[in-house]
Amino acid sequence: MNSIVCLKQVPDTEAQILATPDGSDVKLDGVKFIISPYDEYGIEEALLQKEKAGGGEVTLVSMGPARAVEAIRTGLAMGADKAVHLDDEAFNGSDAQAAAKALAAQIKGMQYDIIYCGRQAIDDDQSQVGPALAELLGLPHTSLVTKVEVAADKKSVKVNRQIVGGEEILEIPLPCVLTCQKGLNEPRYASLPGIMKAKKKPLQPVKAAEIGIDAGTVGAAGSGTRVVKFTAPPTRTSAKIISGESPEEKAANLAKALREEAKAI
Amino acid sequence: MGKGIFVVTVPDQGTIRKVAFEILSEARKIATAKSEPLCAVIIGKGVAALAGKFAPYGADKVYVVENDLLENYTADGYAKALADLITREQPSIVLAGATVVGKDLMPKVAARINAGMAADCTAIGLDGDAFTVKRYMYSGKMIADVKFQADKVAIATIRPNVLIAAAPDASKSAEVVNVAAEVSAADIRVKVLEVVKGDAGKVDLTEAEVIVSGGRGMKDASGYGILEDLAKVLGATVGASRAAVDAGWRPVSDQVGQTGKVVSANLYIACGISGAIQHYAGMGTSKVIVAINKDGEAPILSKCDYAVIDDLFKVVPPLTEEIRKLKAD
Ligand SMILES: Cc1cc2nc3c(=O)[nH]c(=O)nc-3n(C[C@H](O)[C@H](O)[C@H](O)COP(=O)(O)OP(=O)(O)OC[C@H]3O[C@@H](n4cnc5c(N)ncnc54)[C@H](O)[C@@H]3O)c2cc1C
Ligand SMILES: Nc1ncnc2c1ncn2[C@@H]1O[C@H](COP(=O)(O)O)[C@@H](O)[C@H]1O
């Protein structure tokens, strides 16, 4: 079982994100970075499937600035075998579709059965790259996967996926792209020996030109969308505390406020 | 000039999701400003009967895209049918709801036709001739104004419950164009083996107008009984914090937050939820937020509109009764 996991480094879920004074960008200096949580499910699943199959390789592919190496090393410490880091100025400013193009150009020449992506990267929250990547590679995909079962002949995979108000069970021929949803598995932590071993695992930096990418098709130049301004969302002015002598009275006052003031019920 | 503003709908078992009407109502203004036709696109098998639903919300034209192979939603089949239509008709922008289907389908279509795409947008507008959208990034911590580049078709999915559907005008009519989608069995590589529907009557959290959510303060799975009762009188959907989901009290599909569902309710009642940044990220855009929490220092108190500081087990049952009375009036 050979798998590829697309991994993105993103700000920690706890991080406060602020805009620069002119609103043209966000301030990320001093922010702690992590592997996007949904990508961790991808790494875990790739490792589990490799263990089940009794062999194969798990390769991480990540596009990002120099600091992304940290997240890649963490993924290697979890147990992935090797990694490719798309690190080139040409990729700066890529929107989700452009990112999918860059990843597709890299993955095209690789050998794999399943490509795992996260449901969404928790910085841009696009949920685009998985389905777009599949399309660009000419592969079938399924999103929001919560269970993966590889067929005995290793030619297809049976997956459960979340749909509105329920679940769908699908069969997809391999190779394919799956996007991972919470519930798929419990990602392991990197162990100390894992961290030591990760330092020696192959981590290959790749430039756009090496994978035949024309600079105009990725990065800001190749993106069909551009963020022109970042603003902080409006904050709520402090809450109205509902008064009352007893819980019952508070409940009655709340119901009244929601009815008459907020007009919410 | 582009040849239209497309609003795409994939009906779910014969019903059209409300978000389609929300998008149409807003897109009507843009179509008028750009002097382009507003076109509804409906895809599936046997969906022609629904073609009349869109004109009351401003559609000038309705494309009914059908093929027997489109009975179940599959990304393969639907993406081909929609991409073919877009390639032929060359609309300037294609809009769809950021539903489970919309989020799966539209990025694939965008890649297929080399479009620019923004997902889960909360506003659409124009800057001169260019389309603009607003969308949250960093899980609700930032709002981004996004501009589409002119050289590509624009695609945007829109978060349900954010735009406002206009009052339907039944006197309006639209031209209906029937399109036989060219989809063959070989195009559809993913096979649907089984569909397991949960509670059929339950409105999905992402589309719910009212949500009653419970966290660790619910103590255990049985604690949710009082929330179910409250939800019933409010016509609400029950949600949960990650702490409650991780404890196994509620299914993963109920989780609200950065690594759960992003919801935007008219009314969100958080019971026994502290209001961690990751939870707020998933519900902060709700219009009215109520917290019921016994801790006067809980972070949620600085992020809500109304707060009751008391034991939720003492507050929720009488609240249900009070609302039942108010609704009966
Ligand atoms: C990577 C990552 C992703 C995450 N994603 C999510 C996510 O998507 N969604 C999410 O919700 N969390 C998420 N979290 C977890 C988040 O940080 C919090 O731990 C979680 O939201 C806490 O849940 P809670 O508010 O139910 O529990 P707690 O923080 O324990 O709060 C319980 C609250 O209940 C109150 N309470 C207790 N008993 C009563 C009572 N009888 N009456 C009234 N009030 C009572 C307490 O005062 C307290 O405020 C994530 C964390 C990480 C690290
Ligand atoms: N720069 C990137 N490098 C590697 N994988 C990425 C990158 N951007 C997105 N992905 C993958 O695509 C998923 C969805 O991202 P997005 O569409 O941006 O929300 C992520 O969870 C990753 O698996």
Side-chain angles (χ1 to χ4, degrees), chain A residues 194-249:
Chain A
I195 294 168
M196 297 313 290
K197 265 196 242 161
K199 292 183 178 149
K200 297 197 200 81
K201 288 180 177 171
L203 195 171
Q204 184 198 352
V206 169
K207 296 277 173 211
E210 293 171 61
I211 45 175
I213 287 185
D214 182 348
T217 60
V218 294
S223 294
T225 67
R226 185 167 305 163
V227 178
V228 289
K229 195 169 165 213
F230 288 97
T231 40
T235 49
R236 283 166 204 277
T237 48
S238 60
K240 183 164 178 179
I241 309 286
I242 301 291
S243 58
E245 293 296 318
S246 63
E248 291 78 17
E249 197 182 325

Side-chain angles (χ1 to χ4, degrees), chain B residues 133-175:
Chain B
V133 292
K134 281 188 192 290
R135 58 185 304 278
Y136 282 84
M137 281 177 65
Y138 300 97
S139 317
K141 296 174 199 167
M142 264 301 139
I143 298 174
D145 286 318
V146 177
K147 193 167 172 176
F148 283 93
Q149 307 302 298
D151 57 340
K152 290 181 170 160
V153 175
I155 293 184
T157 56
I158 311 292
R159 185 177 291 185
N161 260 343
V162 176
L163 303 180
I164 294 160
D169 179 351
S171 71
K172 294 263 177 65
S173 65
E175 177 193 354

Side-chain angles (χ1 to χ4, degrees), chain A residues 13 101 123-126 135 138 141 143 165 167 169 171 182 224 226 228-229 231 236 240 242 261, chain B residues 104 108 114 135 138-139 141 143 145 147 149 189 191 193-194 196 198 255 278 284 286 305-307:
Chain A
T13 59
K101 278 182 201 154
D123 54 354
D124 67 6
D125 291 314
Q126 289 281 10
E135 177 63 29
H141 84 272
S143 54
E167 212 182 29
I169 302 170
E171 189 181 79
K182 182 182 161 133
R226 185 167 305 163
V228 289
K229 195 169 165 213
T231 40
R236 283 166 204 277
K240 183 164 178 179
I242 301 291
E261 201 176 279
Chain B
D104 188 62
K108 180 174 168 75
N114 192 26
R135 58 185 304 278
Y138 300 97
S139 317
K141 296 174 199 167
I143 298 174
D145 286 318
K147 193 167 172 176
Q149 307 302 298
R189 295 162 292 184
K191 235 186 10 223
L193 301 179
E194 202 181 323
V196 191
Q255 183 178 319
Q278 295 97 344
S286 297
D305 301 293
Y306 295 97

Side-chain angles (χ1 to χ4, degrees), chain B residues 168-242:
Chain B
D169 179 351
S171 71
K172 294 263 177 65
S173 65
E175 177 193 354
V176 175
V177 181
N178 289 299
V179 180
E182 281 175 38
V183 178
S184 69
D187 292 325
I188 301 173
R189 295 162 292 184
V190 177
K191 235 186 10 223
V192 179
L193 301 179
E194 202 181 323
V195 179
V196 191
K197 278 273 179 188
D199 184 353
K202 185 174 163 179
V203 179
D204 193 67
L205 279 171
T206 54
E207 292 181 36
E209 290 186 22
V210 184
I211 294 171
V212 178
S213 227
R216 205 192 313 266
M218 301 313 299
K219 300 274 189 303
D220 57 38
S222 68
Y224 282 82
I226 57 170
L227 296 194
E228 300 280 1
D229 292 343
L230 176 58
K232 210 171 285 161
V233 300
L234 284 169
T237 301
V238 175
S241 72
R242 170 159 157 181

Side-chain angles (χ1 to χ4, degrees), chain A residues 13-14 37, chain B residues 215-217 219 240-244 255-260 272-276 278-279 292-295 298 310-313:
Chain A
T13 59
E14 290 278 352
Chain B
R216 205 192 313 266
K219 300 274 189 303
S241 72
R242 170 159 157 181
Q255 183 178 319
V256 172
Q258 186 159 22
T259 51
I273 292 177
S274 61
Q278 295 97 344
H279 188 79
I292 303 177
N293 199 304
K294 67 176 182 191
D295 175 8
D310 213 324
D311 183 348
L312 71 94
F313 291 100

Side-chain angles (χ1 to χ4, degrees), chain A residues 7-219:
Chain A
L7 171 164
K8 190 176 187 189
Q9 190 197 41
V10 298
D12 189 86
T13 59
E14 290 278 352
Q16 291 286 350
I17 306 291
L18 301 171
T20 54
D22 67 353
S24 67
D25 210 343
V26 289
K27 285 194 267 195
L28 293 177
D29 29 299
V31 165
K32 183 181 164 216
F33 287 91
I34 57 170
I35 298 174
S36 189
Y38 294 104
D39 303 352
E40 287 187 342
Y41 297 122
I43 299 172
E44 178 65 30
E45 195 61 29
L47 295 172
L48 289 174
Q49 295 298 343
K50 172 184 158 179
E51 288 157 12
K52 228 179 249 173
E57 260 191 336
V58 176
T59 308
L60 309 176
V61 177
S62 186
M63 180 183 96
R67 62 167 155 76
V69 166
E70 226 182 287
I72 298 171
R73 286 280 176 214
T74 305
L76 292 170
M78 284 173 73
D81 299 290
K82 56 191 176 60
V84 178
H85 180 197
L86 303 184
D87 178 13
D88 194 325
E89 300 248 309
F91 299 128
N92 290 355
S94 292
D95 68 4
Q97 289 286 330
K101 278 182 201 154
L103 294 170
Q106 165 60 39
I107 293 171
K108 204 172 49 190
M110 295 172 67
Q111 219 274 310
Y112 55 85
D113 302 294
I114 301 180
I115 302 172
Y116 296 94
C117 285
R119 172 189 97 171
Q120 75 197 67
I122 63 155
D123 54 354
D124 67 6
D125 291 314
Q126 289 281 10
S127 302
Q128 287 198 47
V129 169
L133 176 64
E135 177 63 29
L136 295 171
L137 292 169
L139 301 178
H141 84 272
T142 292
S143 54
L144 302 178
V145 166
T146 55
K147 188 173 171 196
V148 177
E149 233 177 293
V150 178
D153 65 3
K154 300 199 167 52
K155 290 213 168 81
S156 69
V157 63
K158 203 164 104 180
V159 302
N160 291 39
R161 100 177 267 261
Q162 238 179 39
I163 55 170
V164 174
E167 212 182 29
E168 226 172 32
I169 302 170
L170 309 165
E171 189 181 79
I172 315 162
L174 297 179
C176 70
V177 175
L178 303 177
T179 83
C180 305
Q181 167 71 327
K182 182 182 161 133
L184 178 59
N185 53 44
E186 278 304 323
R188 67 195 70 186
Y189 290 100
S191 64
L192 203 56
I195 294 168
M196 297 313 290
K197 265 196 242 161
K199 292 183 178 149
K200 297 197 200 81
K201 288 180 177 171
L203 195 171
Q204 184 198 352
V206 169
K207 296 277 173 211
E210 293 171 61
I211 45 175
I213 287 185
D214 182 348
T217 60
V218 294

